[in-house]
Amino acid sequence: MNVKSTTFPLVNPLSKPILYSYWRSSCSWRVRIALNLKEIPYDIKPISLIKSGGEQHCNEYREVNPMEQVPALQIDGHTLIESVAIMHYLEETRPQRPLLPQDVHKRAKVREIVEIICSGIQPLQNLIVLIHVGEEKKKEWAQHWITRGFRAVEKALSTSAGKYCVGDEISMADCCLVPQVFNARRFHVDLRPYPIILRIDRELEANPAFRAAHPSNQPDCPPELPNK
Amino acid sequence: MNVKSTTFPLVNPLSKPILYSYWRSSCSWRVRIALNLKEIPYDIKPISLIKSGGEQHCNEYREVNPMEQVPALQIDGHTLIESVAIMHYLEETRPQRPLLPQDVHKRAKVREIVEIICSGIQPLQNLIVLIHVGEEKKKEWAQHWITRGFRAVEKALSTSAGKYCVGDEISMADCCLVPQVFNARRFHVDLRPYPIILRIDRELEANPAFRAAHPSNQPDCPPELPNK
């Protein structure tokens, strides 16, 4: 499918899934990991959150995602938005390589960690909020909310973690944790008080599904980026 | 079970579920609605977010919920936190009166609306963030994020709503929408541009499960509250 700006809202149910993504967006990153883990082929349609005041605000893209943010996933003839909802959809339609444990209490624990990150941390430090907070205060603001959330994540992990966030199987919680650790580093959060978070992040660094989803491996990552 | 401050972390699997709740907390309210819809008997343990600088910050409660916020639900011998994770747990262990549709695309739509509200709106206007924003700016700040989110919710509802948020069955999306509309009114958001949101909110106003969960019907609602 040839995606032009004027054909944004058209979704062909037989097409390869298209992920509207921005290389550094942690919410896009979560979905990239989930797609990779489940080995679902997809094309990336980059949406720059920077260029021209943010391509996510253009009229055509607003039809794709009325929240004017990434990601959005066109799949099975539908356009899905919101990263956790998308991961659940993938889990329910593509059960291979599960992102949720079978045990109902472990599932609750996965969703708890997901929600601490996706409702308790990321929304408070995303680009659109930091623009509103202002250049001068944004670093301190982001550090404050990430630190508060990571204290709770570390505490949750102290009883749930095995090799990964919940036991020894990779789950949605891991898909959310790794991008959030990246953001924490961007804002120079002191991560030493969170040894379990750091250990899991290191463990997942070499995983091919996580590696391929990393911002530095995205088609829209600027070539001049250091440490690429 | 007699809950004293020193026995906070003890959970008896045979006890009636205990919900740590604050009357005006929209996240507690979501869970109260879900419990009522599923007709699960529960006791309320009020946690005042105001008294003594916030009871959610005391050492005992931090053991219950390391995010130091409500709700937390003690049920089946476990302590669960994070409202959407709790609703999913209730759905998976008490399938009566489902909170998610059978159809996988409708489930995605429910979770999309849930996430717009629970990640895109509520975290940005909750008490702890508004304290950080400051008295002078907090009303404008809350209005800004609620308005942005409600535009997206209204757009989502334009294709999904029947009598309720997704079709004609009450779902998790409705459990999240009603408390968010209440918050919007508290911050004097102009709701006229959102006729579908307003219609669904009115529809649910008289529902006994929603009525019983309303802040004005909570044991910790101050008796002097107007419009009780």
Side-chain angles (χ1 to χ4, degrees):
Chain A
M1 186 172 150
N2 183 21
V3 181
K4 296 178 194 158
S5 67
T6 50
T7 62
F8 267 1
L10 298 178
V11 191
N12 180 340
L14 300 177
S15 298
K16 200 201 271 190
I18 294 172
L19 181 67
Y20 295 86
S21 167
Y22 179 61
W23 64 286
R24 203 160 57 180
S25 145
S26 61
C27 300
S28 303
W29 187 352
R30 294 170 193 159
V31 176
R32 295 195 301 256
I33 298 169
L35 287 163
N36 293 348
L37 284 169
K38 287 182 175 290
E39 299 184 1
I40 303 165
Y42 63 100
D43 287 330
I44 291 236
K45 171 75 191 165
I47 299 293
S48 170
L49 305 188
I50 303 289
K51 209 162 62 183
S52 325
E55 292 178 343
Q56 76 276 25
H57 302 306
C58 78
N59 288 339
E60 292 87 352
Y61 187 70
R62 199 181 298 140
E63 288 300 308
V64 175
N65 187 341
M67 278 297 272
E68 302 175 29
Q69 59 193 19
V70 284
L73 182 67
Q74 293 184 330
I75 189 168
D76 303 335
H78 291 257
T79 301
L80 308 181
I81 64 170
E82 299 292 331
S83 63
V84 182
I86 294 173
M87 288 193 288
H88 274 90
Y89 176 85
L90 296 176
E91 183 71 358
E92 293 182 344
T93 56
R94 276 88 171 163
Q96 74 268 21
R97 186 54 208 84
L99 299 175
L100 286 171
Q102 281 296 307
D103 176 79
V104 76
H105 291 107
K106 287 187 180 167
R107 292 165 78 87
K109 187 53 75 174
V110 168
R111 291 193 176 107
E112 171 186 315
I113 295 167
V114 165
E115 200 169 342
I116 294 175
I117 296 170
C118 302
S119 293
I121 305 179
Q122 193 281 335
L124 291 163
Q125 55 89 81
N126 81 7
L127 181 63
I128 197 163
V129 171
L130 295 181
I131 289 171
H132 222 75
V133 168
E135 196 57 37
E136 198 186 326
K137 291 188 186 163
K138 75 177 189 183
K139 186 177 163 187
E140 184 202 355
W141 174 277
Q143 286 181 341
H144 176 82
W145 299 110
I146 295 172
T147 299
R148 169 176 175 266
F150 270 15
R151 269 200 303 264
V153 172
E154 183 77 8
K155 173 90 178 163
L157 292 175
S158 71
T159 57
S160 72
K163 198 169 170 189
Y164 305 113
C165 284
V166 179
D168 294 330
E169 302 295 334
I170 293 174
S171 71
M172 282 183 201
D174 300 290
C175 299
C176 298
L177 183 69
V178 167
Q180 190 58 60
V181 173
F182 180 89
N183 281 356
R185 291 204 174 97
R186 275 184 69 204
F187 294 114
H188 305 286
V189 171
D190 178 7
L191 292 174
R192 287 171 298 181
Y194 317 112
I196 313 175
I197 291 176
L198 284 175
R199 177 179 60 72
I200 296 169
D201 183 63
R202 261 195 312 274
E203 185 70 53
L204 289 165
E205 206 173 12
N207 180 296
F210 283 73
R211 259 215 93 55
H214 193 275
S216 66
N217 292 321
Q218 299 313 297
D220 54 332
C221 176
E224 70 279 12
L225 191 80
N227 309 321
K228 172 161 177 171
Chain B
M1 186 171 151
N2 183 21
V3 180
K4 295 180 197 159
S5 68
T6 50
T7 62
F8 267 180
L10 299 179
V11 190
N12 180 340
L14 300 177
S15 298
K16 202 201 269 190
I18 295 173
L19 180 69
Y20 295 86
S21 166
Y22 179 60
W23 63 286
R24 205 160 58 177
S25 145
S26 61
C27 299
S28 304
W29 187 354
R30 294 171 193 157
V31 177
R32 296 195 301 255
I33 297 170
L35 288 162
N36 293 349
L37 284 168
K38 287 183 175 290
E39 299 184 1
I40 302 166
Y42 64 101
D43 286 330
I44 290 237
K45 171 77 190 161
I47 299 293
S48 171
L49 305 188
I50 304 289
K51 208 161 64 184
S52 325
E55 292 177 344
Q56 76 276 24
H57 302 306
C58 77
N59 288 339
E60 292 87 353
Y61 187 71
R62 199 182 298 138
E63 288 301 307
V64 176
N65 187 341
M67 278 296 272
E68 302 175 29
Q69 59 194 18
V70 283
L73 181 68
Q74 293 185 329
I75 188 168
D76 303 335
H78 291 258
T79 301
L80 309 181
I81 64 169
E82 298 293 330
S83 63
V84 181
I86 294 173
M87 288 193 289
H88 274 91
Y89 176 84
L90 296 176
E91 184 71 359
E92 293 182 345
T93 57
R94 275 88 172 162
Q96 74 269 21
R97 186 54 208 85
L99 298 175
L100 286 171
Q102 279 298 307
D103 176 78
V104 76
H105 291 107
K106 287 187 181 166
R107 291 164 78 87
K109 187 54 73 171
V110 168
R111 291 192 176 108
E112 171 187 316
I113 295 167
V114 165
E115 201 169 341
I116 294 175
I117 295 170
C118 302
S119 293
I121 305 179
Q122 193 280 335
L124 292 163
Q125 55 89 82
N126 80 7
L127 181 62
I128 196 163
V129 172
L130 295 182
I131 289 171
H132 222 74
V133 168
E135 195 56 37
E136 198 186 325
K137 289 186 186 166
K138 74 176 191 184
K139 185 178 163 188
E140 185 202 356
W141 173 278
Q143 286 180 342
H144 176 83
W145 299 111
I146 295 172
T147 300
R148 170 177 175 264
F150 270 15
R151 269 201 301 265
V153 172
E154 183 78 9
K155 174 88 177 164
L157 293 175
S158 71
T159 57
S160 72
K163 198 170 169 187
Y164 305 115
C165 283
V166 178
D168 294 328
E169 301 295 333
I170 293 173
S171 71
M172 282 183 200
D174 301 290
C175 299
C176 298
L177 183 68
V178 166
Q180 191 58 59
V181 172
F182 180 88
N183 281 356
R185 290 203 174 97
R186 274 185 69 204
F187 295 113
H188 305 287
V189 171
D190 178 7
L191 292 173
R192 286 170 300 179
Y194 318 113
I196 313 175
I197 292 176
L198 284 175
R199 177 179 60 71
I200 295 169
D201 182 64
R202 258 195 314 273
E203 186 69 53
L204 290 164
E205 206 174 12
N207 181 295
F210 283 73
R211 260 216 91 56
H214 193 277
S216 65
N217 292 321
Q218 299 312 300
D220 54 335
C221 176
E224 69 279 12
L225 191 79
N227 308 320
K228 175 163 177 167

